[in-house]
Amino acid sequence: MESIKVFAPATVANVGCGYDILGFALEGYGDELILTERQDDQLVIKTIQGVAELPLDPTKNVSTVTISALLEDLKLNKGFDLKIKKNIAAGSGLGSSASSAAAAAYAVNEFLGGPISSEELIKFAMEGERIASTKAHADNVAPSILGGFTVVRSYDPLDVFNIPYPEDLRVVIIFPQVEVKTSDAKKIIKEQVKLSDAIKQWGNVAGLVSGLILHDFERIGKSLQDVVIEPVRSYLIPLYQEMKTIALNVGALGFSISGSGPSMFCFVRDTSESSLIIERAKELYGKNGIDVISFVSGINNMGAKTLD
Ligand code: HSE
């Protein structure tokens, strides 16, 4: 039986001002998938390690839904056994479902000898996202497949690309141990945006992208502001404003919600700042009786990859 083992990284989507369009991949944190060819055309999830209560039904699991979409497009009758190892909690805001979808799309494509480009794989992984969060957004699956920092310029037609970023940019993730379902966090967003808010948001998206490309850290920090989504969603995250104030006082370059939360993120340049933010997060959540996982990461420029 032929098998392939792959890894797809966790991601930070939205990146403050870029709801549903900006995202980047994290280092060393993500999902693994072993795909083994079957003699029939069934998709069978053999095991899911690391996270309880994910569906084994192939019509409901993001990995198998992604693979079905891809095989259907290629008009291939193939079957696979899947063993999934999740290192990202569902409902964390770190692209847990996207990691599984990206790993599935990447694994099948590699197994088949790479008939589909990495950019095109995104649309199949988006079908997995649709199952998980009711909307086929690409801002997690794109960086999980492509790596680096990605922009979804358009959904129809899909147009996704990488942008350069400063290699010494570091991100601190603060993940209070509560669950926020993306589907719930999407429901509370207002359909209408005030023009004055839209103008601020457009300015910040342009500023953030330009700051990343030009390695202008001050501009990155100034642009990491979200006047559309954060005011609504931050209420779902315990102690959000307190944590934000602490991080900005320590010197973080902006602070925002990672994806739909509850994870939060900020950019830093300096390891002393990241250590201090992690320490203060432990103190803040500890004294309020909430467990928190915090870590510092670079931006993963590789994306999904085959493991030995
Ligand atoms: N853009 C999506 C959202 C990302 O904010 O709902 C979910 O991780």
Side-chain angles (χ1 to χ4, degrees), residues 294-305:
S294 307
F295 59 93
V296 61
S297 168
I299 295 181
N300 167 351
N301 68 3
M302 178 125 190
K305 62 179 182 187

Side-chain angles (χ1 to χ4, degrees), residues 8-285:
T11 47
V12 170
N14 300 335
V15 199
C17 47
Y19 178 68
D20 272 1
I21 65 154
L22 297 180
F24 62 85
L26 293 169
E27 279 172 345
Y29 197 49
D31 281 5
E32 284 175 23
L33 169 67
I34 299 173
L35 195 73
T36 305
E37 191 177 22
R38 289 174 61 91
Q39 299 299 345
D40 58 22
D41 62 359
Q42 302 297 302
L43 297 177
V44 180
I45 300 171
K46 291 286 193 187
T47 53
I48 304 179
Q49 279 176 35
V51 172
E53 291 172 15
L54 286 180
L56 294 172
D57 177 344
T59 63
K60 298 198 172 115
N61 184 286
V62 298
S63 302
T64 37
V65 167
T66 298
I67 295 174
S68 296
L70 198 155
L71 292 176
E72 197 182 314
D73 190 78
L74 291 175
K75 300 186 177 37
L76 284 176
N77 283 322
K78 278 200 163 297
F80 294 100
D81 285 334
L82 284 80
K83 290 185 179 166
I84 301 165
K85 189 168 162 205
K86 294 202 63 70
N87 294 305
I88 316 165
S92 60
L94 296 172
S96 177
S97 53
S99 229
S100 294
Y106 180 83
V108 177
N109 194 43
E110 288 299 294
F111 187 90
L112 297 173
I116 299 176
S117 73
S118 300
E119 285 76 12
E120 281 173 319
L121 279 184
I122 293 166
K123 74 170 188 253
F124 301 109
M126 284 167 68
E127 291 308 312
E129 281 287 51
R130 192 193 301 279
I131 287 286
S133 71
T134 65
K135 185 161 178 276
H137 57 97
D139 50 340
N140 290 110
V141 289
S144 191
I145 291 173
L146 302 178
F149 213 111
T150 55
V151 175
V152 183
R153 189 203 59 83
S154 156
Y155 274 92
D156 188 17
L158 188 65
D159 182 9
V160 180
F161 52 85
N162 281 106
I163 53 167
Y165 55 87
E167 282 188 4
D168 52 345
L169 193 63
R170 292 284 170 274
V171 57
V172 182
I173 301 289
I174 298 146
F175 173 19
Q177 299 296 287
V178 294
E179 186 183 348
V180 174
K181 286 200 169 79
T182 299
S183 49
D184 294 339
K186 278 204 173 293
K187 275 186 219 146
I188 62 170
I189 290 173
K190 295 182 192 138
E191 283 293 320
Q192 309 287 327
V193 176
K194 253 187 8 199
L195 182 60
S196 57
D197 286 341
I199 291 168
K200 285 183 198 155
Q201 202 85 346
W202 292 325
N204 283 323
V205 171
L208 180 56
V209 170
S210 132
L212 289 163
I213 293 172
L214 299 174
H215 298 197
D216 182 335
F217 289 89
E218 199 191 330
R219 187 176 291 168
I220 291 171
K222 275 199 298 201
S223 307
L224 205 78
Q225 292 189 50
D226 170 14
V227 296
V228 176
I229 307 296
E230 182 191 88
V232 184
R233 279 188 173 168
S234 53
Y235 292 104
L236 299 176
I237 303 174
L239 305 165
Y240 181 81
Q241 294 303 341
E242 292 85 338
M243 190 60 236
K244 180 173 180 172
T245 304
I246 288 170
L248 293 177
N249 285 342
V250 167
L253 300 166
F255 184 96
S256 197
I257 303 169
S258 173
S260 53
S263 290
M264 298 155 268
F265 78 99
C266 55
F267 288 126
V268 290
R269 293 188 74 170
D270 204 303
T271 48
S272 63
E273 282 166 359
S274 54
S275 311
L276 207 50
I277 292 167
I278 288 171
E279 206 179 287
R280 296 274 163 82
K282 259 195 209 134
E283 277 167 27
L284 175 70
Y285 284 96

